[in-house]
Amino acid sequence: MNLVVATEAAFAGDADVLVVEATGNRDRMLGRILDSTAPFVLVIAGPDLAPIERAMILAAIGPLAIELGPDRRIGALDIAIEAGETDIVVVAKFLVAAESTTGQVVAVAA
């Protein structure tokens, strides 16, 4: 199963969480984040993301947390190629449940 699909499935029916896949189309991704009213935005940086795209997107998480706050939170998962689907979902749920955090990037590896 695709890691983004698995993460979205973990939050199915939860309007409080928007799962956004980090892609090379940063403008579209940023538009989804800024247009959303979800209290928590979870950005997934998968293992297939080009290194420069990964660096730029993950570097934007902190400034986005400042822009979205204090009413909305954002976090990101930096997924290594060997990360398992179960580990990704567990870390995603932890990050969403950590109500006092925003702007965090969590690396998920095997």
Side-chain angles (χ1 to χ4, degrees):
M1 179 181 267
N2 178 299
L3 61 96
V4 174
V5 172
T7 307
E8 287 175 335
F11 297 104
D14 187 347
D16 288 346
V17 179
L18 171 68
V19 178
V20 177
E21 181 176 16
T23 66
N25 189 337
R26 291 181 311 277
D27 291 337
R28 189 176 123 207
M29 186 188 82
L30 184 59
R32 283 194 66 206
I33 292 169
L34 296 176
D35 291 344
S36 169
T37 58
F40 190 89
V41 177
L42 180 65
V43 177
I44 307 290
D48 296 333
L49 192 61
I52 191 71
E53 296 295 330
R54 174 183 303 282
M56 287 190 296
I57 290 167
L58 295 178
I61 299 300
L64 281 169
I66 293 168
E67 184 170 338
L68 296 174
D71 299 326
R72 297 176 57 214
R73 300 182 304 125
I74 187 169
L77 299 183
D78 183 6
I79 312 285
I81 196 161
E82 67 273 3
E85 183 180 306
T86 302
D87 294 331
I88 294 166
V89 171
V90 167
V91 173
K93 287 183 175 184
F94 167 79
L95 192 57
V96 170
E99 294 181 7
S100 63
T101 63
T102 188
Q104 302 298 310
V105 176
V106 180
V108 183

